[in-house]
């Protein structure tokens, strides 16, 4: 059980002590799903995005959405990720006025914005959703997104998803010291080697592995991400291996 903190002390700590626990910010989603539903599997992922240096909840209503969220968060070029953004209006193929809410709106460091629609492949085909997406793309309001994308299970490699999930877990254990030591070690590399050999001189144990794992997803290191990343994974400095 956590020890109670006097009100005055809590106030002082919240203002002055950067180590004082702060709960993650709530989701910025424009739509919240019911706590119980036969159609949705509600959950959220914790993430700290470059756009705002604080932990935030990102909701998902299916396993497919959660996997898509994790893969998006693993992209070093991602700047911000909006869950359930404002719906957009469009005219469907039959001339009827409709609205669509994307599952995610991804913003990238170069300013590009992409609307992500997540659906099972079979359902997308049954609904002829690609045709609907073309109509949505045609009628997108200016500034909402530069492109739209349908994401199905066929776009998510299972091993990449597992790596992205582990990355998200490792990012919660922030370790600037270990990250800096790995970055310094990488700066002196000129050839491929295993993660185990990379971190051995640092004598950091599991901290070193977590830092090397994170370094792969900050583009300090290159590695094959469609295989589970382990101590045996071969890595190289950025630009040395595809």
């Amino acid at each position: 059980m956590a020890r109670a903190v006097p009100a005055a002390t809590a106030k002082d700590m919240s203002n002055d002590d950067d180590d004082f626990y702060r709960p993650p910010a709530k989701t910025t989603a424009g739509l919240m799903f019911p706590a119980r539903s036969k159609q949705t599997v509600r959950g959220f992922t914790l993430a700290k995005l470059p756009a705002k240096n604080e932990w935030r909840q990102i909701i998902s209503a299916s396993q497919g959405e959660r996997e898509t969220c994790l893969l998006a968060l693993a992209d070093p070029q991602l700047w911000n990720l909006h869950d359930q953004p404002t719906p957009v209006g469009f005219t469907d193929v039959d001339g009827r006025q409709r609205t669509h809410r994307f599952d995610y709106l991804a913003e990238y460091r170069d300013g590009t914005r992409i609307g992500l629609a997540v659906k099972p492949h079979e359902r997308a085909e049954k609904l002829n959703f690609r045709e609907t997406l073309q109509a949505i793309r045609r009628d997108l309001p200016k500034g909402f997104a530069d492109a739209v994308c349908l994401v199905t299970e066929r776009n998510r490699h299972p091993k990449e998803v597992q790596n992205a999930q582990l990355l998200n877990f490792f990012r919660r254990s922030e370790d600037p010291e270990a990250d800096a030591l790995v970055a310094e070690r990488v700066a002196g590399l000129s050839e491929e080697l295993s993660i185990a050999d990379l971190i051995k001189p640092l004598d950091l144990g599991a901290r070193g592995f977590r830092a090397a794992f994170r370094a792969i997803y900050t583009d300090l290191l290159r590695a094959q991400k469609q295989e589970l990343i382990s101590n045996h994974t071969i890595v190289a400095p950025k630009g040395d291996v595809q």
Side-chain angles (χ1 to χ4, degrees), residues 96-145:
R96 292 173 295 185
Q97 295 297 311
R98 295 189 179 277
T99 61
H100 176 78
R101 189 189 295 269
F102 284 93
D103 297 295
Y104 299 106
L105 177 63
E107 288 187 72
Y108 295 89
R109 292 179 185 272
D110 65 359
T112 302
R113 295 162 60 93
I114 299 179
L116 304 177
V118 184
K119 290 187 181 297
H121 175 79
E122 186 176 339
R123 178 168 175 76
E125 291 297 308
K126 183 177 180 179
L127 296 175
N128 197 17
F129 186 72
R130 294 180 192 278
E131 189 173 88
T132 299
L133 202 57
Q134 289 180 356
I136 295 170
R137 182 188 297 113
R138 180 197 62 218
D139 293 344
L140 277 180
K142 185 177 181 180
F144 177 84

Side-chain angles (χ1 to χ4, degrees), residues 175-233:
D175 191 343
E177 179 186 23
D179 290 342
L181 288 171
V182 165
E184 183 178 345
R185 172 91 167 108
V186 171
L189 291 180
S190 59
E191 58 185 6
E192 299 179 8
L193 75 174
S194 68
I195 289 180
D197 289 336
L198 170 74
I199 64 177
K200 185 176 180 180
L202 303 178
D203 196 26
L204 292 172
R207 293 174 61 204
F209 175 74
R210 291 192 292 267
F213 199 110
R214 290 190 292 266
I216 292 170
Y217 288 90
T218 56
D219 272 351
L220 282 177
L221 289 171
R222 297 293 189 190
Q224 173 54 264
K225 297 175 183 176
Q226 291 190 351
E227 297 292 338
L228 291 180
I229 298 172
S230 71
N231 272 316
H232 303 294
T233 296

Side-chain angles (χ1 to χ4, degrees), residues 6-212:
T9 304
K11 180 180 179 181
D12 293 340
M13 292 174 72
S14 65
N15 289 333
D16 302 323
D17 190 345
D18 287 339
D19 292 328
F20 183 64
Y21 170 74
R22 296 179 179 83
K26 292 182 178 180
T27 175
T28 59
L31 174 68
M32 291 301 295
F33 299 101
R36 295 182 179 181
S37 170
K38 294 181 180 180
Q39 285 74 41
T40 64
V41 182
R42 180 181 172 187
F44 64 84
T45 301
L46 293 180
K48 182 187 286 188
L49 290 143
K52 196 168 185 180
N53 192 34
E54 66 175 16
W55 291 97
R56 174 165 67 85
Q57 297 177 351
I58 301 178
I59 68 169
S60 56
S62 68
Q63 181 63 17
E65 285 185 25
R66 181 172 183 275
E67 291 179 0
T68 301
C69 172
L70 288 168
L71 289 171
L73 293 172
D75 187 339
Q77 299 309 310
L78 186 72
W79 178 252
N80 205 354
L81 188 65
H82 306 279
D83 39 353
Q84 299 295 317
T86 303
V88 295
F90 70 100
T91 303
D92 69 12
V93 294
D94 296 320
R96 292 173 295 185
Q97 295 297 311
R98 295 189 179 277
T99 61
H100 176 78
R101 189 189 295 269
F102 284 93
D103 297 295
Y104 299 106
L105 177 63
E107 288 187 72
Y108 295 89
R109 292 179 185 272
D110 65 359
T112 302
R113 295 162 60 93
I114 299 179
L116 304 177
V118 184
K119 290 187 181 297
H121 175 79
E122 186 176 339
R123 178 168 175 76
E125 291 297 308
K126 183 177 180 179
L127 296 175
N128 197 17
F129 186 72
R130 294 180 192 278
E131 189 173 88
T132 299
L133 202 57
Q134 289 180 356
I136 295 170
R137 182 188 297 113
R138 180 197 62 218
D139 293 344
L140 277 180
K142 185 177 181 180
F144 177 84
D146 301 288
V148 298
C149 182
L150 170 62
V151 183
T152 76
E153 66 276 12
R154 297 189 177 188
N155 306 114
R156 300 188 298 269
H157 192 285
K159 297 291 177 60
E160 280 191 286
V161 172
Q162 287 180 267
N163 285 329
Q165 183 169 333
L166 196 54
L167 172 68
N168 185 260
F169 178 73
F170 286 165
R171 280 175 170 170
R172 298 185 205 177
S173 304
E174 295 178 296
D175 191 343
E177 179 186 23
D179 290 342
L181 288 171
V182 165
E184 183 178 345
R185 172 91 167 108
V186 171
L189 291 180
S190 59
E191 58 185 6
E192 299 179 8
L193 75 174
S194 68
I195 289 180
D197 289 336
L198 170 74
I199 64 177
K200 185 176 180 180
L202 303 178
D203 196 26
L204 292 172
R207 293 174 61 204
F209 175 74
R210 291 192 292 267

